[in-house]
Amino acid sequence: MFVSDFRREFYELVQSQRVLLFVASDVDALCACKILQALFQCDHVQYTLIPVSGWQELETAYLEHKEQFSYFILINCGANVDLLDILQPDEDSIFFVCDTHRPVNVVNVYNDNQVPRPWGLPLYVPSLNQSEIVEQTMKRRQRREWEARRRDILFDYEQYEYYGTSSAMVIFDLAWMMSKDLNDMLWWAIVGLTDQWVHDKITQMKYVTDIGILQRHVSRHNHRNEAKENMLSVDCTRISFEYDLRLALYQHWSLHESLCNTSYTAARFKLWSVHGQKRLQEFLADMGLPLKQVKQKFQSMDVSLKENLREMIEESANKFGMKDMRVQTFSIHFGFKHKFLASDVVFATMSLMESPERDGSGTDHFIQALDSLSRSNLDKLYLGLELAKKQLQATQQTIASCLCTNLVISQGPFLYCSLMEGTPDVVLFSKPASLSLLSRHLLKSFVCSTKNRRCKLLPLVMAAPLSVEQGTVTMVGIPPETDSSDRKNFFGRAFEKAAESTSSRTLHNHFDLSVIELKAEDRSKFLDALVSLLS
């Protein structure tokens, strides 16, 4: 069932219980978890936190702990599949699911008594007159029609995968309703929303609408007059609304590096080509910025240049056809020295969580990423920023390599690109979020580079090596890159049907249905089935 009163139907029920908290490995889930942890700490709620990266980990963790708990909270996992079928829970187990994945599985919403059932027929009918036979025949026909109509409705409902409101925003809304919302919680809600925008999970309209909701909370929490402004302590936290540049990590990098490694500018300039590099130089010349200033750290640039930098870049960007160079976002100040944009924190936290370092387990990386969201662990956040820079550079280098060597090919109903084992930095893209981000950026760049109008409207399927020993690849499907795109992804169901029809050895282990693991040997027959299915 859907919970309508968060406080009464959810929080007051778990407040006096021991709770098991399952949290998915994405930034929005981490932010929702931080807000919930703060609430639990405030009300002395006992809980155990277990990070899960897929269905197998969720099932294993549940079986291991189900005897000790009756109340389970799932963040960004569990809504889009039949939980009863996967976990086989006891009758006294109660699950609360806060998940941004859509559509919600109908079994999770309705129990057996609430689902409308077709009327049945007796197994044995002793003797029937003509009118009764006609009546029973009509009932059978109506039942068949009802079942066919139900299948069609469910198919239409489950055909596309998309995302709802950020889970961090939902949990912050709970804190606000209980008058327990703090500035730190508000910042985590902002980071959760920004994670959805960075990964293209929601439409621009949805993003702007949610920004407006959070902006009201920011005004409420950070309203100070000028007289008090000078009395702020050195370790204060201040959030402010910004209409800032669409450049990744530019305040912690050089402006030149940020321009080269931001998906939006790299795609528009076509920086993988010599002509694109010349256009970048022309862009910098149009702004009148010396190369010496552009290539040094942003913090070291002349103050006189930084004052009007945003306006200068926006003005020149308009001349070069980049109309969306500035975006609505938020920034946070920790004291007088540390300032971060919400997108900076998203990139840093994701890089810590999907770090390719072998010296720690997935749980270690999860805990490190979770810690980086606290203002007391700024050293971890700065470490995440350095990892994010390497990730962004590797992404753009891989995109340049794919486009220059024509690795993106048309398969008819979709585009296909496969990273080969031995490709530089390929290990960075074996994780689902990193591969999805690379795929989205590659599709944007391909759309800007191709002259084929039909190819501009096609979705992309991308594969990257996962395990050489096991001979597996990670495969992800990305919807078409169009201005009117509603961000709905049909590859989840298509992957299932293609694997089923060809008996391909696949593992649908990720919470995003459009990400699967596939045996490399079965790739060609799987793709053939996908082509025939989508043609």
Side-chain angles (χ1 to χ4, degrees), residues 292-303:
K292 183 181 177 182
Q293 292 286 330
V294 171
K295 291 192 175 183
Q296 67 181 344
K297 270 197 162 185
F298 179 81
Q299 298 295 340
S300 305
M301 286 178 68
D302 286 350
V303 178

Side-chain angles (χ1 to χ4, degrees), residues 133 376 443:
I133 291 173
S376 57
L443 186 56

Side-chain angles (χ1 to χ4, degrees), residues 112-394:
D112 284 345
N113 297 325
Q114 291 171 308
V115 179
R117 296 285 183 191
W119 46 86
L121 296 172
L123 294 176
Y124 172 68
V125 182
S127 61
L128 295 171
N129 58 36
Q130 188 64 34
S131 62
E132 287 174 330
I133 291 173
V134 171
E135 186 180 344
Q136 294 288 8
T137 306
M138 288 293 291
K139 284 185 177 181
R140 286 196 191 94
R141 184 182 302 164
Q142 286 175 325
R143 177 176 176 168
R144 284 196 299 271
E145 289 174 357
W146 185 92
E147 288 176 341
R149 194 162 63 248
R150 183 175 184 274
R151 278 196 302 271
D152 290 342
I153 291 170
L154 277 177
F155 178 79
D156 290 340
Y157 175 69
E158 296 175 346
Q159 186 177 7
Y160 293 102
E161 183 186 10
Y162 59 101
Y163 296 87
T165 301
S166 152
S167 291
M169 282 189 67
V170 172
I171 302 295
F172 175 77
D173 205 35
L174 169 67
W176 175 57
M177 282 192 290
M178 298 192 299
S179 301
K180 294 179 181 178
D181 54 318
L182 302 171
N183 226 13
D184 284 339
M185 295 182 187
L186 175 56
W187 176 245
W188 294 325
I190 288 167
V191 173
L193 170 62
T194 307
D195 174 58
Q196 289 192 313
W197 178 75
V198 165
H199 289 91
D200 274 344
K201 291 181 177 179
I202 53 175
T203 62
Q204 185 67 19
M205 181 63 72
K206 171 71 173 164
Y207 174 70
V208 171
T209 303
D210 288 349
I211 281 279
I213 294 169
L214 291 174
Q215 195 175 350
R216 292 194 286 275
H217 289 296
V218 168
S219 301
R220 183 169 54 85
H221 274 279
N222 298 270
H223 176 67
R224 295 186 181 99
N225 60 37
E226 291 299 320
K228 291 183 180 177
E229 194 70 35
N230 300 321
M231 297 165 60
L232 297 178
S233 63
V234 147
D235 62 346
C236 74
T237 300
R238 189 173 77 257
I239 302 172
S240 53
F241 175 77
E242 304 264 356
Y243 192 47
D244 215 315
L245 295 171
R246 194 174 183 170
L247 295 177
L249 310 180
Y250 78 95
Q251 295 182 7
H252 308 277
W253 218 348
S254 72
L255 194 59
H256 185 267
E257 288 286 1
S258 184
L259 282 164
C260 290
N261 293 293
T262 298
S263 164
Y264 180 72
T265 48
R268 295 305 188 282
F269 284 131
K270 303 177 186 174
L271 291 180
W272 54 87
S273 65
V274 176
H275 178 65
Q277 292 291 337
K278 284 182 181 176
R279 275 175 60 80
L280 176 60
Q281 299 301 323
E282 291 169 11
F283 175 73
L284 295 172
D286 186 76
M287 286 192 295
L289 290 177
L291 273 179
K292 183 181 177 182
Q293 292 286 330
V294 171
K295 291 192 175 183
Q296 67 181 344
K297 270 197 162 185
F298 179 81
Q299 298 295 340
S300 305
M301 286 178 68
D302 286 350
V303 178
S304 58
L305 290 175
K306 285 199 287 187
E307 281 178 353
N308 300 315
L309 185 67
R310 293 181 182 87
E311 289 73 19
M312 289 164 60
I313 290 180
E314 186 177 30
E315 186 180 336
S316 294
N318 283 332
K319 296 178 187 175
F320 282 75
M322 293 181 286
K323 306 291 184 186
D324 303 317
M325 197 61 188
R326 288 174 77 172
V327 292
Q328 297 177 17
T329 186
F330 296 93
S331 66
I332 193 166
H333 293 257
F334 296 120
F336 301 111
K337 184 180 178 183
H338 308 285
K339 179 188 176 185
F340 304 94
L341 290 175
S343 57
D344 298 342
V345 179
V346 169
F347 283 120
T349 307
M350 189 186 80
S351 297
L352 286 170
M353 194 158 41
E354 298 210 331
S355 170
E357 300 293 331
R358 302 288 184 187
D359 57 352
S361 65
T363 302
D364 293 334
H365 293 152
F366 179 94
I367 298 299
Q368 191 175 30
L370 194 66
D371 287 345
S372 73
L373 291 169
S374 301
R375 55 178 157 170
S376 57
N377 292 309
L378 290 182
D379 55 332
K380 291 183 179 177
L381 186 57
Y382 279 113
L383 172 63
L385 288 173
E386 294 307 311
L387 288 173
K389 291 174 189 176
K390 292 177 184 175
Q391 183 86 34
L392 287 169
Q393 286 173 326

Side-chain angles (χ1 to χ4, degrees), residues 450-479:
T450 185
K451 294 179 180 177
N452 187 323
R453 288 185 180 179
R454 183 177 173 277
C455 284
K456 288 177 186 282
L457 304 175
L458 294 179
L460 171 69
V461 173
M462 192 162 191
L466 177 62
S467 170
V468 181
E469 295 81 15
Q470 297 178 11
T472 55
V473 296
T474 303
M475 193 169 281
V476 59
I478 302 296

